[in-house]
Amino acid sequence: MPQPKRFLPPISALRALESFERTKNVSETGRELGLSQSAVSRQLKVLEEYLDCDLFVRDRKKILLTPAAQTYSEEVRTALDVIGAASLRLKVNPTGGQLNLAILPAFGVRWLAPKLPGFVAAHPEVTINLSTRVIPFDFANEPFHGAVHFGAKDWPDVQYLKLMTETVVAVASPALSENLPSSDVMDIFELPLLHLETRPNAWEIWADKLGFQVKPQQGMLFDQFASMIQAATNGLGAAVIPTYLIERELAEGSLVQLGNADPLSIGSYYFVWPKNEASYLPCELFQNWLGTFSDQYVV
């Protein structure tokens, strides 16, 4: 709901407050904003008068923000950052819309990024901005129009477009695999095991799909697949990894599949967007474009 304009102070005064909060010095604020010391003081005074409350504690030696003003200035900084980012996006793309997407790192690099030039060629009026998010979030509190989600349909209040069913295998370096006495699945759990922060139960889920109940040992923990794959190829442990991420390593032999189980599906990738928000053309165009690839990359 729009706020009454009477609660929106002049932006020049807000910039002066934001700068003063960082510099703690009127003269330094003036140099930063290209204003005289007296002009900065006037801007700060204008803000106090506009808000009809004291923002500063003044003594003979220095000026300090009140605790409430400190909090206010931090919120103002966030708002100014949003305005600045919006202005930059408009400057670089004055004729079209912005599409802010949250992506998963490995999926974004290996599946989405190679396809994006096709969308850009078809819709040059839309500017895509990509950021990384690895867990679901509330769209109402984040500046995204859509996101890539892995797992099940467990993200509340969103709509789903299935992109790809993921299959995984247990792998290790050839040298480490030689330590296995047999191809039995349970023998794998005697090896050092590698784990991913966002999939802490991957080994349990993989074993359960094969009909085994296990509690894997603790091991090295990684925040991204790329570093875990590198660790596995260097013989630091076995890992459960999506097949589409290690096609080259399996073909070259730097990683080998463990056990005699076929690749298993433990989840799917989806494109999700807010369910109850008004339609937004750039996001609709992107959804339609993604639909042409939906579940075409099943390994």
Side-chain angles (χ1 to χ4, degrees):
M1 179 178 179
Q3 297 297 318
K5 292 183 179 180
R6 59 191 173 87
F7 291 127
L8 298 177
I11 195 167
S12 57
L14 294 175
R15 291 181 63 214
L17 175 69
E18 188 278 332
S19 177
F20 177 79
E21 192 278 329
R22 284 185 291 102
T23 64
K24 306 295 189 295
N25 185 279
V26 172
S27 298
E28 187 64 29
T29 294
R31 281 191 289 271
E32 185 175 280
L33 299 180
L35 299 173
S36 66
Q37 182 175 338
S38 60
V40 171
S41 296
R42 283 197 299 272
Q43 290 291 347
L44 297 178
K45 184 63 176 177
V46 164
L47 189 59
E48 281 191 310
E49 293 175 350
Y50 196 97
L51 297 173
D52 194 25
C53 66
D54 292 331
L55 299 178
F56 306 95
V57 177
R58 297 175 173 85
D59 61 26
R60 293 181 179 179
K61 295 184 178 180
K62 56 185 176 180
I63 303 174
L64 300 175
L65 289 172
T66 66
Q70 178 73 37
T71 300
Y72 177 64
S73 65
E74 293 168 359
E75 294 174 340
V76 165
R77 177 176 298 113
T78 299
L80 291 175
D81 288 343
V82 170
I83 294 171
S87 301
L88 176 61
R89 290 193 295 268
L90 178 61
K91 180 178 176 61
V92 300
N93 185 21
T95 61
Q98 302 289 323
L99 185 60
N100 301 324
L101 303 177
I103 63 170
L104 301 172
F107 184 82
V109 170
R110 296 294 291 271
W111 191 92
L112 183 59
K115 297 174 173 60
L116 277 180
F119 179 82
V120 172
H123 300 286
E125 76 280 7
V126 177
T127 297
I128 296 180
N129 305 305
L130 301 177
S131 298
T132 298
R133 294 290 188 279
V134 296
I135 59 174
F137 52 82
D138 185 352
F139 275 97
N141 298 323
E142 295 277 0
F144 296 111
H145 301 109
V148 174
H149 174 55
F150 173 78
K153 292 184 177 181
D154 53 3
W155 192 324
D157 301 320
V158 300
Q159 299 186 71
Y160 293 84
L161 171 64
K162 185 177 180 180
L163 300 177
M164 166 184 154
T165 299
E166 181 191 87
T167 59
V168 299
V169 291
V171 296
S173 67
L176 188 63
S177 69
E178 292 176 358
N179 295 327
L180 290 173
S182 73
S183 60
D184 188 80
V185 168
M186 294 306 295
D187 288 337
I188 297 173
F189 291 91
E190 299 303 318
L191 297 175
L193 302 181
L194 308 180
H195 304 271
L196 192 70
E197 286 182 358
T198 54
R199 301 187 185 185
N201 300 320
W203 279 108
E204 289 96 326
I205 295 172
W206 180 78
D208 183 68
K209 290 273 188 177
L210 296 173
F212 298 93
Q213 299 295 318
V214 297
K215 187 170 181 60
Q217 60 179 308
Q218 297 296 313
M220 295 180 67
L221 185 65
F222 300 86
D223 65 347
Q224 293 193 23
F225 273 120
S227 53
M228 188 165 74
I229 291 171
Q230 190 64 41
T233 58
N234 288 327
L236 294 177
V240 172
I241 301 178
T243 51
Y244 81 98
L245 293 179
I246 52 172
E247 290 175 322
R248 177 174 57 82
E249 288 80 3
L250 290 173
E252 294 174 350
S254 57
L255 288 176
V256 296
Q257 185 174 340
L258 303 176
N260 51 16
D262 292 330
L264 298 172
S265 173
I266 62 172
S268 297
Y269 290 94
Y270 300 90
F271 181 69
V272 301
W273 63 96
K275 180 182 295 185
N276 298 320
E277 286 191 8
S279 61
Y280 180 56
L281 182 57
C283 193
E284 289 184 359
L285 294 172
F286 192 71
Q287 294 160 25
N288 293 335
W289 174 78
L290 278 178
T292 64
F293 300 101
S294 182
D295 218 15
Q296 291 183 16
Y297 199 92
V298 181
V299 181

